Amino acid sequence: MATIADAEAIAEQRLRMFADAGVAEEAAMGPMRANFVDWVRPRLADGTYIGCQVEDDGRLVGGAGLWVIDWPPHFMDAEPQRAYLLNFYVAPEMRRHGLARELLALAVAEAKARGIVVVTLHASKFGKPLYEKAGFKLSNEMMLRA
Amino acid sequence: MATIADAEAIAEQRLRMFADAGVAEEAAMGPMRANFVDWVRPRLADGTYIGCQVEDDGRLVGGAGLWVIDWPPHFMDAEPQRAYLLNFYVAPEMRRHGLARELLALAVAEAKARGIVVVTLHASKFGKPLYEKAGFKLSNEMMLRA
């Protein structure tokens, strides 16, 4: 499990995740990276960011984060905590061995262990089949870039 | 604009919104309503819930809320504030007169005025065409009910 000391490593995984998905130029991600470190550090400290990190021979090869959000109480879950899965990443050389599936199951189990019943995420086209196998379904979220 | 005194009225609009969309039994919404009042009151106080309320002859006939979220810094917006639109409601007798369109434009303008560039929401099947006309697009959000 991640601690405050892992803030920079988590930001690096976030950057790699977007770069590998081909959705963002590296140049556009500089401000994101610095701001993300500032964002995640206090949340690692207060437990609203739960980081699962995977090491292989002492080397970081994957990770998944859960951001615990005080969600508006809803008819689906009157208790206001939801988990948002983010920074889900497996190093290229470690792929195709079931690690992503295990990591996702671990993250969902961490959410359940905290009594959280709704987990959301934004899926890349590469991640979507994995999430579907784990029971995730496309939601009715809509987005406007103002 | 809503104040703390409007917390109960906003919770009532939230309940009516879900009831009118036919997605929830009223019985299931009792805990939601009480919890929502507790959730929204401190956010009305600190400005992270922005409520637009519409009155007609002193009677509340519609409303829209924006919840300002400290979102994880992203390549799309390195500044970490996003707005989530919720409790979007127009009383049945006031529908079909363009009020929903005006209210949505007002809410988006409130977000922009705060420098927020990404607005998200979860759309009912009734609301979806309205949001599409305003430029909202379905996102890649996926959800698991654990």
Side-chain angles (χ1 to χ4, degrees), chain A residues 11-146:
Chain A
E12 176 64 24
Q13 289 187 319
R14 181 171 182 77
L15 193 150
R16 293 259 65 79
M17 174 187 69
F18 287 129
D20 288 6
V23 292
E25 297 292 322
E26 298 233 356
M29 291 192 284
M32 177 193 84
R33 185 183 171 144
N35 289 1
F36 186 81
V37 171
D38 292 342
W39 181 92
V40 79
R41 202 172 268 140
R43 289 171 175 82
L44 283 164
D46 71 13
T48 55
Y49 188 97
I50 302 155
C52 310
Q53 302 286 82
V54 183
E55 290 187 355
D56 181 54
D57 268 339
R59 199 171 48 93
L60 195 60
V61 294
L66 286 172
W67 173 29
V68 180
I69 308 175
D70 280 333
W71 195 257
H74 198 276
F75 68 88
M76 285 198 296
D77 51 337
E79 293 301 323
Q81 287 207 323
R82 287 194 182 183
Y84 180 72
L85 184 79
L86 71 171
N87 303 335
F88 190 62
Y89 186 72
V90 172
E93 70 276 16
M94 298 294 286
R95 293 175 193 167
R96 310 251 156 224
H97 294 92
L99 182 55
R101 190 172 45 79
E102 279 185 64
L103 195 49
L104 179 59
L106 176 65
V108 169
E110 285 290 331
K112 280 189 192 174
R114 286 162 173 81
I116 292 170
V117 299
V118 177
V119 180
T120 63
L121 58 84
H122 287 102
S124 71
K125 64 180 174 182
F126 309 103
K128 193 162 172 269
L130 177 77
Y131 301 130
E132 281 171 343
K133 275 184 203 149
F136 284 81
K137 290 182 170 54
L138 273 176
S139 82
N140 55 347
E141 188 188 63
M142 300 184 82
M143 183 180 286
L144 175 73
R145 295 203 57 189

Side-chain angles (χ1 to χ4, degrees), chain B residues 63-124:
Chain B
L66 286 172
W67 172 31
V68 180
I69 307 175
D70 281 333
W71 195 257
H74 197 275
F75 68 90
M76 286 199 295
D77 50 338
E79 294 301 320
Q81 287 207 323
R82 286 194 181 183
Y84 180 73
L85 184 79
L86 71 170
N87 302 335
F88 190 62
Y89 186 73
V90 172
E93 69 276 18
M94 298 293 286
R95 292 176 193 167
R96 309 253 157 223
H97 295 91
L99 182 56
R101 190 172 45 77
E102 280 185 64
L103 194 50
L104 180 59
L106 177 65
V108 170
E110 285 289 333
K112 281 188 192 174
R114 287 163 174 79
I116 293 170
V117 298
V118 176
V119 180
T120 62
L121 57 83
H122 287 101
S124 71

